[in-house]
Amino acid sequence: MNRDELEKRNVGENLDTLMNLDPRGYGVCRILYAGSRKATGEPLTMHAAQTLVDAVKPGDLVYILTGFVLLPHKVPEMDGMVSSMLFARALVLAFDAKPIIICPEDSVQAIRSCACVVGLHVYEDIDTVREMPMSMGVISFPKDDLGVYNPFKYSPVTVYVLMAFHGTPAAAVSIEAPGANELGVYHNAGGKDVSALEAKTDLLWAKLREMNVPTVSIGDLGNEIGMGKIADHIRSFVPFTAHGECSCGCKGGILAQSTADSIITATCSDWGCYGLMAALAYLLRNIDILHTEEMEAEVMRAASRSGLIDMTGSLLPGIDGFNLKMNVSILSLMRQCTDYALRYSHRSDRWFGPVLEKHFFE
């Protein structure tokens, strides 16, 4: 390990720690992190960010899968949706990429309302997104009852159209996107069957995986796309995920069967995505890739005014029970830690060599 590798690792450790702060205290985020960190072998944020840096070039499409619809109101939650908008902005600034959010129809209006807050034009036609600067796309994905989950035998029209007419994306990122279990059933956190409410975007995900498109999955429980990457760990330690533990009668558990190349687990998925954006800002030496505290607050307000709800069901700005102030504070700490490393790390150059000589980080 050299000086720059040590700095990169420790910036990533900072971001991983911040996205896994546990104000609730019941420890699921730390359970998930132990499994995902073992699978990844390095800070999750930096690993995922490097995956994107290696894959995405100017003009490339990047798919963002998101949009979890919640009971009892049957409307999408803010977690995943808020960070997807900010992540779309980050992709444009980082790579001059063409982000395409793929979500349930329920989420499209909120995305339109939030796009102007992050400074992007939004179109439902991918060819227009390709042509226009500072733009992003939004595609609604069907909720049709597809029966038993078998992506290798079933190819919905939406998947065919995306692949055949618009080309293969350079990468795909799922952020709090619902994933079916091995029996094709989608569950909420408490184990209830919500299959009828959710867009079946993991069918697209499976096709992208089959095509070797680099994938990054962000989740906070186990019922999200990609969490099958650490299936054994989740089933062993996270409630409702093992076979027979869900309450819907399918007996399959809430764990999503899909997997991913890179995985980020966090206290809430949005925090994991903020860590990813901060890692991109670090790797590309541009703090502006990570949004400001003011933009975070404004996107949360715009999302709630568009009808998206907190996990608690509240229409006030909140993500997984954490209010606007808490979310802005997490973002602010990530931004300050990353900016400090970019600006001032050289002031500690005389320490890196002696620390490395002690071999603690090997």
Side-chain angles (χ1 to χ4, degrees):
M1 180 180 290
N2 60 33
R3 181 246 185 256
D4 290 343
E5 290 169 340
L6 178 59
E7 180 183 290
K8 176 183 175 182
R9 171 173 171 167
N10 284 318
V11 171
E13 298 282 10
N14 292 338
L15 298 174
D16 281 21
T17 298
L18 288 170
M19 72 184 184
N20 279 289
L21 292 181
D22 188 14
R24 302 187 191 105
Y26 56 63
V28 167
C29 57
R30 296 197 168 116
I31 293 170
L32 290 171
Y33 186 74
S36 52
R37 180 57 183 262
K38 182 178 180 180
T40 302
E42 61 180 310
L44 311 182
T45 47
M46 283 295 172
H47 184 272
Q50 191 65 60
T51 296
L52 297 179
V53 168
D54 293 342
V56 183
K57 303 182 298 299
D60 281 347
L61 296 178
V62 178
Y63 287 174
I64 305 169
L65 283 62
T66 192
F68 214 125
V69 181
L70 300 186
L71 294 171
H73 298 285
K74 300 181 181 180
V75 296
E77 67 170 323
M78 291 181 65
D79 190 24
M81 294 296 304
V82 169
S83 63
S84 289
M85 295 301 306
L86 294 158
F87 183 58
R89 169 191 175 273
L91 288 170
V92 172
L93 293 181
F95 306 111
D96 194 22
K98 301 296 183 177
I100 309 295
I101 293 183
I102 299 173
C103 62
E105 178 64 33
D106 319 51
S107 303
V108 172
Q109 183 53 52
I111 289 170
R112 287 192 166 279
S113 299
C114 293
C116 58
V117 180
V118 302
L120 297 180
H121 301 269
V122 60
Y123 300 99
E124 294 186 40
D125 176 65
I126 292 179
D127 290 337
T128 303
V129 178
R130 286 186 183 276
E131 295 173 5
M132 302 298 286
M134 296 302 293
S135 65
M136 59 172 285
V138 57
I139 302 293
S140 62
F141 204 90
K143 299 183 178 185
D144 301 3
D145 184 2
L146 303 176
V148 176
Y149 182 87
N150 194 335
F152 301 104
K153 292 185 179 179
Y154 185 88
S155 180
V157 173
T158 305
V159 173
Y160 173 78
V161 170
L162 285 170
M163 297 297 104
F165 292 95
H166 301 295
T168 305
V173 180
S174 65
I175 310 170
E176 189 68 11
N181 69 7
E182 294 172 343
L183 302 175
V185 181
Y186 298 75
H187 294 85
N188 66 8
K192 293 182 178 179
D193 184 346
V194 291
S195 300
L197 301 178
E198 311 301 345
K200 308 304 186 287
T201 51
D202 49 357
L203 295 175
L204 171 61
W205 186 263
K207 183 63 175 177
L208 296 172
R209 296 276 298 156
E210 183 184 314
M211 298 170 68
N212 295 315
V213 172
T215 52
V216 176
S217 173
I218 305 176
D220 57 28
L221 183 61
N223 58 340
E224 306 92 358
I225 287 176
M227 292 297 105
K229 183 175 179 67
I230 54 171
D232 290 343
H233 179 84
I234 291 177
R235 283 200 184 100
S236 295
F237 300 112
V238 178
F240 313 120
T241 60
H243 295 118
E245 288 188 346
C246 56
S247 58
C248 72
C250 83
K251 304 302 182 183
I254 72 171
L255 176 65
Q257 68 86 43
S258 51
T259 187
D261 296 311
S262 296
I263 186 172
I264 292 177
T265 59
T267 302
C268 57
S269 294
D270 276 355
W271 295 5
C273 190
Y274 301 155
L276 172 58
M277 288 184 274
L280 284 174
Y282 173 79
L283 291 176
L284 298 175
R285 323 306 288 180
N286 180 6
I287 192 59
D288 290 336
I289 291 169
L290 182 61
H291 56 286
T292 64
E293 295 88 342
E294 292 78 13
M295 185 175 287
E296 167 76 16
E298 191 59 30
V299 172
M300 288 184 65
R301 292 190 184 103
S304 66
R305 290 166 185 160
S306 300
L308 300 188
I309 59 173
D310 182 22
M311 176 187 70
T312 64
S314 173
L315 280 166
L316 295 175
I319 294 171
D320 278 3
F322 303 120
N323 63 18
L324 189 149
K325 186 175 182 179
M326 173 71 84
N327 282 275
V328 169
S329 296
I330 294 293
L331 180 277
S332 182
L333 285 170
M334 288 183 177
R335 187 176 170 87
Q336 291 177 65
C337 286
T338 306
D339 193 38
Y340 187 95
L342 292 175
R343 289 188 178 201
Y344 303 121
S345 178
H346 65 278
R347 294 180 178 178
S348 302
D349 277 350
R350 66 188 182 90
W351 280 94
F352 281 88
V355 167
L356 287 167
E357 289 172 4
K358 295 292 185 179
H359 305 292
F360 175 83
F361 291 99
E362 294 181 359

